[in-house]
Amino acid sequence: MKVIQTKNYQDMSEKAAQFILEKIKSKPDFQLGLATGGTPVTTYQNLIQDHQTNQTSYQLVTTFNLDEYIGLSNEDPNSYHYYMNKHLFSEIDIPADQTFIPNGLAEDLERECIEYDALISKYNGIDLQILGLGHNGHIGFNEPGTPFDKQTHIVTLADSTVEANARFFDSIEDVPTQAITMGIGSIMKSKEILLLVSGREKHEALQKLLHDEVNELFPASILQRHKNVTIIADEDAIIGKD
Ligand code: F6R
């Protein structure tokens, strides 16, 4: 795994956007895997800024998001559909029918999971998957204990994840307790992975990811086994000074 240390969140976000842009420019029909949450917000802002200034085009890009809550409509401000439209899609020239996010309102959720993996395969897999890191080592919504070979599946969120995500909702009771997520098996099929980590509170998780033995109780540790992972992390996350 290659680790790039940046001064701060801003710097991490700029370097991440540059990283993604280089890839898209070298392969315009790029398959890009996306994450939500707090970490990539400014990376997406930088992509938007570049699109406005340099007209980098997303006409041929296809995106696949990692996950979506079960039970929220696409118009719900807390859904990841809403998040992606707000933070990226509505501000770049990507055709809407080339942006894929699991449907958390599907009548048959099990089938939705199978079809999501089939869709990714149909596009010949993900060229670059962007990931954030959960405090407990989750990637996507793969909580500790999730078997490494799982493909896209339905999960019940850990209490700590519900608590961490409550900051985006009016109250913790409003946080859905279930989600659809790409599994570790689906994520590991990506040709390349870019993990973004920022902040003192992610320091312990980053240390475990880098140094612990690979184990299912710390899902992100699996990344040690992927051939092409870049971690862009800020000083606070890497050094962890109080
Ligand atoms: C988001 C996702 C999650 C987040 C993780 C970190 O699509 O799959 O794994 O990346 O929870 O979230 P933040 O960035 O809010 O700290």
Side-chain angles (χ1 to χ4, degrees), residues 140-171:
F141 272 132
N142 294 284
E143 301 287 13
T146 310
F148 283 152
D149 59 357
K150 277 258 184 198
Q151 305 299 309
T152 298
H153 63 290
I154 298 165
V155 285
T156 297
L157 307 186
D159 290 347
S160 62
T161 303
V162 172
E163 279 160 29
N165 290 357
R167 68 191 194 277
F168 299 115
F169 291 77
D170 289 339
S171 87

PDB file of all heavy atoms in Angstrom, residues 140-171:
ATOM      1  N   GLY A 140     -17.200   0.736   3.132  1.00  0.00           N
ATOM      2  CA  GLY A 140     -18.596   0.625   2.744  1.00  0.00           C
ATOM      3  C   GLY A 140     -19.344   0.527   4.071  1.00  0.00           C
ATOM      4  O   GLY A 140     -18.980   1.179   5.053  1.00  0.00           O
ATOM      5  N   PHE A 141     -20.361  -0.317   4.134  1.00  0.00           N
ATOM      6  CA  PHE A 141     -21.013  -0.571   5.429  1.00  0.00           C
ATOM      7  C   PHE A 141     -20.690  -1.991   5.890  1.00  0.00           C
ATOM      8  O   PHE A 141     -21.495  -2.640   6.542  1.00  0.00           O
ATOM      9  CB  PHE A 141     -22.521  -0.363   5.327  1.00  0.00           C
ATOM     10  CG  PHE A 141     -22.959   1.060   5.570  1.00  0.00           C
ATOM     11  CD1 PHE A 141     -23.842   1.679   4.698  1.00  0.00           C
ATOM     12  CD2 PHE A 141     -22.520   1.784   6.668  1.00  0.00           C
ATOM     13  CE1 PHE A 141     -24.267   2.982   4.914  1.00  0.00           C
ATOM     14  CE2 PHE A 141     -22.933   3.083   6.901  1.00  0.00           C
ATOM     15  CZ  PHE A 141     -23.805   3.690   6.011  1.00  0.00           C
ATOM     16  N   ASN A 142     -19.509  -2.455   5.558  1.00  0.00           N
ATOM     17  CA  ASN A 142     -19.087  -3.790   6.016  1.00  0.00           C
ATOM     18  C   ASN A 142     -18.546  -3.674   7.430  1.00  0.00           C
ATOM     19  O   ASN A 142     -17.416  -3.221   7.640  1.00  0.00           O
ATOM     20  CB  ASN A 142     -18.020  -4.347   5.078  1.00  0.00           C
ATOM     21  CG  ASN A 142     -18.579  -4.618   3.699  1.00  0.00           C
ATOM     22  OD1 ASN A 142     -19.291  -5.596   3.489  1.00  0.00           O
ATOM     23  ND2 ASN A 142     -18.301  -3.710   2.764  1.00  0.00           N
ATOM     24  N   GLU A 143     -19.373  -4.056   8.366  1.00  0.00           N
ATOM     25  CA  GLU A 143     -19.030  -3.913   9.778  1.00  0.00           C
ATOM     26  C   GLU A 143     -18.119  -5.057  10.235  1.00  0.00           C
ATOM     27  O   GLU A 143     -18.016  -6.078   9.550  1.00  0.00           O
ATOM     28  CB  GLU A 143     -20.316  -3.911  10.623  1.00  0.00           C
ATOM     29  CG  GLU A 143     -21.307  -2.801  10.265  1.00  0.00           C
ATOM     30  CD  GLU A 143     -20.860  -1.415  10.724  1.00  0.00           C
ATOM     31  OE1 GLU A 143     -19.684  -1.212  11.103  1.00  0.00           O
ATOM     32  OE2 GLU A 143     -21.708  -0.501  10.692  1.00  0.00           O
ATOM     33  N   PRO A 144     -17.437  -4.868  11.385  1.00  0.00           N
ATOM     34  CA  PRO A 144     -16.561  -5.938  11.896  1.00  0.00           C
ATOM     35  C   PRO A 144     -17.289  -7.286  11.939  1.00  0.00           C
ATOM     36  O   PRO A 144     -18.447  -7.353  12.359  1.00  0.00           O
ATOM     37  CB  PRO A 144     -16.222  -5.449  13.306  1.00  0.00           C
ATOM     38  CG  PRO A 144     -16.273  -3.963  13.192  1.00  0.00           C
ATOM     39  CD  PRO A 144     -17.413  -3.668  12.246  1.00  0.00           C
ATOM     40  N   GLY A 145     -16.595  -8.311  11.464  1.00  0.00           N
ATOM     41  CA  GLY A 145     -17.190  -9.653  11.465  1.00  0.00           C
ATOM     42  C   GLY A 145     -17.758 -10.051  10.120  1.00  0.00           C
ATOM     43  O   GLY A 145     -18.110 -11.215   9.915  1.00  0.00           O
ATOM     44  N   THR A 146     -17.863  -9.088   9.191  1.00  0.00           N
ATOM     45  CA  THR A 146     -18.399  -9.425   7.868  1.00  0.00           C
ATOM     46  C   THR A 146     -17.410 -10.331   7.129  1.00  0.00           C
ATOM     47  O   THR A 146     -16.232  -9.981   7.017  1.00  0.00           O
ATOM     48  CB  THR A 146     -18.576  -8.150   7.002  1.00  0.00           C
ATOM     49  OG1 THR A 146     -19.293  -7.184   7.753  1.00  0.00           O
ATOM     50  CG2 THR A 146     -19.304  -8.456   5.712  1.00  0.00           C
ATOM     51  N   PRO A 147     -17.868 -11.487   6.636  1.00  0.00           N
ATOM     52  CA  PRO A 147     -16.938 -12.358   5.890  1.00  0.00           C
ATOM     53  C   PRO A 147     -16.348 -11.622   4.690  1.00  0.00           C
ATOM     54  O   PRO A 147     -17.039 -10.868   4.016  1.00  0.00           O
ATOM     55  CB  PRO A 147     -17.832 -13.519   5.435  1.00  0.00           C
ATOM     56  CG  PRO A 147     -18.976 -13.513   6.398  1.00  0.00           C
ATOM     57  CD  PRO A 147     -19.196 -12.082   6.786  1.00  0.00           C
ATOM     58  N   PHE A 148     -15.063 -11.845   4.478  1.00  0.00           N
ATOM     59  CA  PHE A 148     -14.351 -11.145   3.409  1.00  0.00           C
ATOM     60  C   PHE A 148     -14.873 -11.484   2.003  1.00  0.00           C
ATOM     61  O   PHE A 148     -14.629 -10.751   1.064  1.00  0.00           O
ATOM     62  CB  PHE A 148     -12.857 -11.462   3.469  1.00  0.00           C
ATOM     63  CG  PHE A 148     -12.107 -10.727   4.543  1.00  0.00           C
ATOM     64  CD1 PHE A 148     -10.959 -11.277   5.103  1.00  0.00           C
ATOM     65  CD2 PHE A 148     -12.514  -9.468   4.981  1.00  0.00           C
ATOM     66  CE1 PHE A 148     -10.228 -10.594   6.076  1.00  0.00           C
ATOM     67  CE2 PHE A 148     -11.797  -8.769   5.953  1.00  0.00           C
ATOM     68  CZ  PHE A 148     -10.653  -9.343   6.506  1.00  0.00           C
ATOM     69  N   ASP A 149     -15.540 -12.642   1.871  1.00  0.00           N
ATOM     70  CA  ASP A 149     -15.954 -13.015   0.514  1.00  0.00           C
ATOM     71  C   ASP A 149     -17.350 -12.504   0.148  1.00  0.00           C
ATOM     72  O   ASP A 149     -17.865 -12.776  -0.928  1.00  0.00           O
ATOM     73  CB  ASP A 149     -15.888 -14.540   0.337  1.00  0.00           C
ATOM     74  CG  ASP A 149     -16.783 -15.259   1.325  1.00  0.00           C
ATOM     75  OD1 ASP A 149     -17.415 -14.598   2.188  1.00  0.00           O
ATOM     76  OD2 ASP A 149     -16.858 -16.510   1.239  1.00  0.00           O
ATOM     77  N   LYS A 150     -17.974 -11.723   1.036  1.00  0.00           N
ATOM     78  CA  LYS A 150     -19.337 -11.232   0.743  1.00  0.00           C
ATOM     79  C   LYS A 150     -19.354 -10.312  -0.453  1.00  0.00           C
ATOM     80  O   LYS A 150     -18.491  -9.439  -0.585  1.00  0.00           O
ATOM     81  CB  LYS A 150     -19.862 -10.441   1.940  1.00  0.00           C
ATOM     82  CG  LYS A 150     -20.442 -11.312   3.021  1.00  0.00           C
ATOM     83  CD  LYS A 150     -21.945 -11.286   2.933  1.00  0.00           C
ATOM     84  CE  LYS A 150     -22.543 -12.079   4.063  1.00  0.00           C
ATOM     85  NZ  LYS A 150     -23.934 -12.439   3.792  1.00  0.00           N
ATOM     86  N   GLN A 151     -20.348 -10.487  -1.315  1.00  0.00           N
ATOM     87  CA  GLN A 151     -20.579  -9.540  -2.412  1.00  0.00           C
ATOM     88  C   GLN A 151     -21.596  -8.507  -1.885  1.00  0.00           C
ATOM     89  O   GLN A 151     -21.791  -8.392  -0.676  1.00  0.00           O
ATOM     90  CB  GLN A 151     -21.095 -10.300  -3.639  1.00  0.00           C
ATOM     91  CG  GLN A 151     -20.173 -11.447  -4.065  1.00  0.00           C
ATOM     92  CD  GLN A 151     -18.770 -10.992  -4.469  1.00  0.00           C
ATOM     93  OE1 GLN A 151     -18.610 -10.095  -5.277  1.00  0.00           O
ATOM     94  NE2 GLN A 151     -17.734 -11.608  -3.902  1.00  0.00           N
ATOM     95  N   THR A 152     -22.228  -7.775  -2.772  1.00  0.00           N
ATOM     96  CA  THR A 152     -23.206  -6.772  -2.326  1.00  0.00           C
ATOM     97  C   THR A 152     -24.286  -7.457  -1.468  1.00  0.00           C
ATOM     98  O   THR A 152     -24.804  -8.509  -1.839  1.00  0.00           O
ATOM     99  CB  THR A 152     -23.818  -6.067  -3.554  1.00  0.00           C
ATOM    100  OG1 THR A 152     -22.753  -5.404  -4.253  1.00  0.00           O
ATOM    101  CG2 THR A 152     -24.856  -5.036  -3.131  1.00  0.00           C
ATOM    102  N   HIS A 153     -24.600  -6.865  -0.331  1.00  0.00           N
ATOM    103  CA  HIS A 153     -25.541  -7.515   0.595  1.00  0.00           C
ATOM    104  C   HIS A 153     -26.221  -6.487   1.503  1.00  0.00           C
ATOM    105  O   HIS A 153     -25.848  -5.309   1.521  1.00  0.00           O
ATOM    106  CB  HIS A 153     -24.812  -8.582   1.429  1.00  0.00           C
ATOM    107  CG  HIS A 153     -23.737  -8.028   2.316  1.00  0.00           C
ATOM    108  ND1 HIS A 153     -22.554  -7.513   1.828  1.00  0.00           N
ATOM    109  CD2 HIS A 153     -23.666  -7.875   3.662  1.00  0.00           C
ATOM    110  CE1 HIS A 153     -21.799  -7.087   2.828  1.00  0.00           C
ATOM    111  NE2 HIS A 153     -22.455  -7.285   3.951  1.00  0.00           N
ATOM    112  N   ILE A 154     -27.200  -7.017   2.258  1.00  0.00           N
ATOM    113  CA  ILE A 154     -27.951  -6.170   3.193  1.00  0.00           C
ATOM    114  C   ILE A 154     -27.273  -6.246   4.550  1.00  0.00           C
ATOM    115  O   ILE A 154     -26.911  -7.333   4.999  1.00  0.00           O
ATOM    116  CB  ILE A 154     -29.405  -6.694   3.302  1.00  0.00           C
ATOM    117  CG1 ILE A 154     -30.076  -6.594   1.930  1.00  0.00           C
ATOM    118  CG2 ILE A 154     -30.196  -5.920   4.356  1.00  0.00           C
ATOM    119  CD1 ILE A 154     -31.345  -7.401   1.824  1.00  0.00           C
ATOM    120  N   VAL A 155     -27.109  -5.097   5.205  1.00  0.00           N
ATOM    121  CA  VAL A 155     -26.454  -5.119   6.515  1.00  0.00           C
ATOM    122  C   VAL A 155     -27.293  -4.403   7.560  1.00  0.00           C
ATOM    123  O   VAL A 155     -28.060  -3.496   7.254  1.00  0.00           O
ATOM    124  CB  VAL A 155     -25.090  -4.378   6.515  1.00  0.00           C
ATOM    125  CG1 VAL A 155     -24.045  -5.183   5.842  1.00  0.00           C
ATOM    126  CG2 VAL A 155     -25.187  -3.004   5.901  1.00  0.00           C
ATOM    127  N   THR A 156     -27.088  -4.814   8.807  1.00  0.00           N
ATOM    128  CA  THR A 156     -27.595  -4.060   9.946  1.00  0.00           C
ATOM    129  C   THR A 156     -26.406  -3.273  10.470  1.00  0.00           C
ATOM    130  O   THR A 156     -25.331  -3.836  10.703  1.00  0.00           O
ATOM    131  CB  THR A 156     -28.128  -5.037  11.022  1.00  0.00           C
ATOM    132  OG1 THR A 156     -29.219  -5.751  10.441  1.00  0.00           O
ATOM    133  CG2 THR A 156     -28.609  -4.283  12.256  1.00  0.00           C
ATOM    134  N   LEU A 157     -26.574  -1.979  10.608  1.00  0.00           N
ATOM    135  CA  LEU A 157     -25.446  -1.131  10.988  1.00  0.00           C
ATOM    136  C   LEU A 157     -25.083  -1.311  12.459  1.00  0.00           C
ATOM    137  O   LEU A 157     -25.963  -1.482  13.307  1.00  0.00           O
ATOM    138  CB  LEU A 157     -25.776   0.345  10.736  1.00  0.00           C
ATOM    139  CG  LEU A 157     -26.265   0.677   9.326  1.00  0.00           C
ATOM    140  CD1 LEU A 157     -26.424   2.185   9.165  1.00  0.00           C
ATOM    141  CD2 LEU A 157     -25.307   0.140   8.283  1.00  0.00           C
ATOM    142  N   ALA A 158     -23.777  -1.266  12.733  1.00  0.00           N
ATOM    143  CA  ALA A 158     -23.317  -1.331  14.125  1.00  0.00           C
ATOM    144  C   ALA A 158     -23.810  -0.082  14.864  1.00  0.00           C
ATOM    145  O   ALA A 158     -23.972   0.984  14.258  1.00  0.00           O
ATOM    146  CB  ALA A 158     -21.788  -1.380  14.151  1.00  0.00           C
ATOM    147  N   ASP A 159     -24.044  -0.217  16.172  1.00  0.00           N
ATOM    148  CA  ASP A 159     -24.497   0.950  16.959  1.00  0.00           C
ATOM    149  C   ASP A 159     -23.538   2.123  16.789  1.00  0.00           C
ATOM    150  O   ASP A 159     -23.948   3.265  16.674  1.00  0.00           O
ATOM    151  CB  ASP A 159     -24.578   0.583  18.453  1.00  0.00           C
ATOM    152  CG  ASP A 159     -25.724  -0.384  18.717  1.00  0.00           C
ATOM    153  OD1 ASP A 159     -26.566  -0.549  17.809  1.00  0.00           O
ATOM    154  OD2 ASP A 159     -25.762  -0.974  19.821  1.00  0.00           O
ATOM    155  N   SER A 160     -22.222   1.816  16.754  1.00  0.00           N
ATOM    156  CA  SER A 160     -21.230   2.896  16.654  1.00  0.00           C
ATOM    157  C   SER A 160     -21.346   3.618  15.305  1.00  0.00           C
ATOM    158  O   SER A 160     -21.105   4.825  15.216  1.00  0.00           O
ATOM    159  CB  SER A 160     -19.815   2.340  16.832  1.00  0.00           C
ATOM    160  OG  SER A 160     -19.523   1.409  15.814  1.00  0.00           O
ATOM    161  N   THR A 161     -21.757   2.894  14.266  1.00  0.00           N
ATOM    162  CA  THR A 161     -21.920   3.527  12.946  1.00  0.00           C
ATOM    163  C   THR A 161     -23.170   4.402  12.941  1.00  0.00           C
ATOM    164  O   THR A 161     -23.162   5.518  12.421  1.00  0.00           O
ATOM    165  CB  THR A 161     -22.003   2.431  11.851  1.00  0.00           C
ATOM    166  OG1 THR A 161     -20.822   1.633  11.939  1.00  0.00           O
ATOM    167  CG2 THR A 161     -22.114   3.033  10.467  1.00  0.00           C
ATOM    168  N   VAL A 162     -24.249   3.891  13.550  1.00  0.00           N
ATOM    169  CA  VAL A 162     -25.473   4.692  13.665  1.00  0.00           C
ATOM    170  C   VAL A 162     -25.155   5.978  14.440  1.00  0.00           C
ATOM    171  O   VAL A 162     -25.527   7.082  14.019  1.00  0.00           O
ATOM    172  CB  VAL A 162     -26.598   3.889  14.374  1.00  0.00           C
ATOM    173  CG1 VAL A 162     -27.799   4.780  14.680  1.00  0.00           C
ATOM    174  CG2 VAL A 162     -27.021   2.699  13.510  1.00  0.00           C
ATOM    175  N   GLU A 163     -24.403   5.842  15.536  1.00  0.00           N
ATOM    176  CA  GLU A 163     -24.031   7.034  16.332  1.00  0.00           C
ATOM    177  C   GLU A 163     -23.179   7.997  15.506  1.00  0.00           C
ATOM    178  O   GLU A 163     -23.405   9.206  15.516  1.00  0.00           O
ATOM    179  CB  GLU A 163     -23.249   6.617  17.585  1.00  0.00           C
ATOM    180  CG  GLU A 163     -24.155   6.154  18.713  1.00  0.00           C
ATOM    181  CD  GLU A 163     -23.406   5.293  19.733  1.00  0.00           C
ATOM    182  OE1 GLU A 163     -22.189   5.500  19.896  1.00  0.00           O
ATOM    183  OE2 GLU A 163     -24.049   4.412  20.334  1.00  0.00           O
ATOM    184  N   ALA A 164     -22.183   7.460  14.788  1.00  0.00           N
ATOM    185  CA  ALA A 164     -21.294   8.329  13.992  1.00  0.00           C
ATOM    186  C   ALA A 164     -22.081   9.058  12.908  1.00  0.00           C
ATOM    187  O   ALA A 164     -21.799  10.218  12.600  1.00  0.00           O
ATOM    188  CB  ALA A 164     -20.168   7.506  13.373  1.00  0.00           C
ATOM    189  N   ASN A 165     -23.093   8.392  12.335  1.00  0.00           N
ATOM    190  CA  ASN A 165     -23.835   9.008  11.227  1.00  0.00           C
ATOM    191  C   ASN A 165     -24.981   9.889  11.704  1.00  0.00           C
ATOM    192  O   ASN A 165     -25.564  10.635  10.911  1.00  0.00           O
ATOM    193  CB  ASN A 165     -24.367   7.931  10.277  1.00  0.00           C
ATOM    194  CG  ASN A 165     -23.230   7.274   9.503  1.00  0.00           C
ATOM    195  OD1 ASN A 165     -22.067   7.669   9.656  1.00  0.00           O
ATOM    196  ND2 ASN A 165     -23.535   6.300   8.692  1.00  0.00           N
ATOM    197  N   ALA A 166     -25.278   9.834  13.012  1.00  0.00           N
ATOM    198  CA  ALA A 166     -26.383  10.630  13.559  1.00  0.00           C
ATOM    199  C   ALA A 166     -26.140  12.121  13.350  1.00  0.00           C
ATOM    200  O   ALA A 166     -27.081  12.914  13.295  1.00  0.00           O
ATOM    201  CB  ALA A 166     -26.583  10.319  15.045  1.00  0.00           C
ATOM    202  N   ARG A 167     -24.862  12.526  13.165  1.00  0.00           N
ATOM    203  CA  ARG A 167     -24.571  13.948  12.978  1.00  0.00           C
ATOM    204  C   ARG A 167     -25.219  14.521  11.718  1.00  0.00           C
ATOM    205  O   ARG A 167     -25.404  15.715  11.611  1.00  0.00           O
ATOM    206  CB  ARG A 167     -23.054  14.187  12.959  1.00  0.00           C
ATOM    207  CG  ARG A 167     -22.289  13.632  11.770  1.00  0.00           C
ATOM    208  CD  ARG A 167     -20.780  13.706  12.037  1.00  0.00           C
ATOM    209  NE  ARG A 167     -19.937  13.511  10.872  1.00  0.00           N
ATOM    210  CZ  ARG A 167     -19.587  12.322  10.380  1.00  0.00           C
ATOM    211  NH1 ARG A 167     -20.039  11.209  10.949  1.00  0.00           N
ATOM    212  NH2 ARG A 167     -18.789  12.244   9.340  1.00  0.00           N
ATOM    213  N   PHE A 168     -25.569  13.661  10.782  1.00  0.00           N
ATOM    214  CA  PHE A 168     -26.193  14.139   9.555  1.00  0.00           C
ATOM    215  C   PHE A 168     -27.730  14.193   9.664  1.00  0.00           C
ATOM    216  O   PHE A 168     -28.395  14.703   8.780  1.00  0.00           O
ATOM    217  CB  PHE A 168     -25.823  13.210   8.381  1.00  0.00           C
ATOM    218  CG  PHE A 168     -24.336  13.146   8.113  1.00  0.00           C
ATOM    219  CD1 PHE A 168     -23.626  11.967   8.289  1.00  0.00           C
ATOM    220  CD2 PHE A 168     -23.640  14.276   7.701  1.00  0.00           C
ATOM    221  CE1 PHE A 168     -22.255  11.898   8.022  1.00  0.00           C
ATOM    222  CE2 PHE A 168     -22.274  14.227   7.433  1.00  0.00           C
ATOM    223  CZ  PHE A 168     -21.579  13.035   7.601  1.00  0.00           C
ATOM    224  N   PHE A 169     -28.285  13.636  10.746  1.00  0.00           N
ATOM    225  CA  PHE A 169     -29.750  13.538  10.893  1.00  0.00           C
ATOM    226  C   PHE A 169     -30.242  14.459  12.023  1.00  0.00           C
ATOM    227  O   PHE A 169     -29.438  14.906  12.844  1.00  0.00           O
ATOM    228  CB  PHE A 169     -30.142  12.086  11.236  1.00  0.00           C
ATOM    229  CG  PHE A 169     -29.926  11.111  10.110  1.00  0.00           C
ATOM    230  CD1 PHE A 169     -28.642  10.646   9.799  1.00  0.00           C
ATOM    231  CD2 PHE A 169     -30.999  10.654   9.350  1.00  0.00           C
ATOM    232  CE1 PHE A 169     -28.434   9.747   8.756  1.00  0.00           C
ATOM    233  CE2 PHE A 169     -30.798   9.745   8.313  1.00  0.00           C
ATOM    234  CZ  PHE A 169     -29.529   9.294   8.011  1.00  0.00           C
ATOM    235  N   ASP A 170     -31.566  14.713  12.068  1.00  0.00           N
ATOM    236  CA  ASP A 170     -32.127  15.540  13.154  1.00  0.00           C
ATOM    237  C   ASP A 170     -31.965  14.837  14.486  1.00  0.00           C
ATOM    238  O   ASP A 170     -31.683  15.458  15.498  1.00  0.00           O
ATOM    239  CB  ASP A 170     -33.624  15.809  12.910  1.00  0.00           C
ATOM    240  CG  ASP A 170     -33.810  16.773  11.751  1.00  0.00           C
ATOM    241  OD1 ASP A 170     -32.844  17.506  11.445  1.00  0.00           O
ATOM    242  OD2 ASP A 170     -34.888  16.747  11.134  1.00  0.00           O
ATOM    243  N   SER A 171     -32.198  13.543  14.508  1.00  0.00           N
ATOM    244  CA  SER A 171     -32.011  12.810  15.765  1.00  0.00           C
ATOM    245  C   SER A 171     -31.540  11.393  15.443  1.00  0.00           C
ATOM    246  O   SER A 171     -31.730  10.897  14.314  1.00  0.00           O
ATOM    247  CB  SER A 171     -33.318  12.749  16.573  1.00  0.00           C
ATOM    248  OG  SER A 171     -34.071  11.641  16.168  1.00  0.00           O
TER     249      SER A 171
END
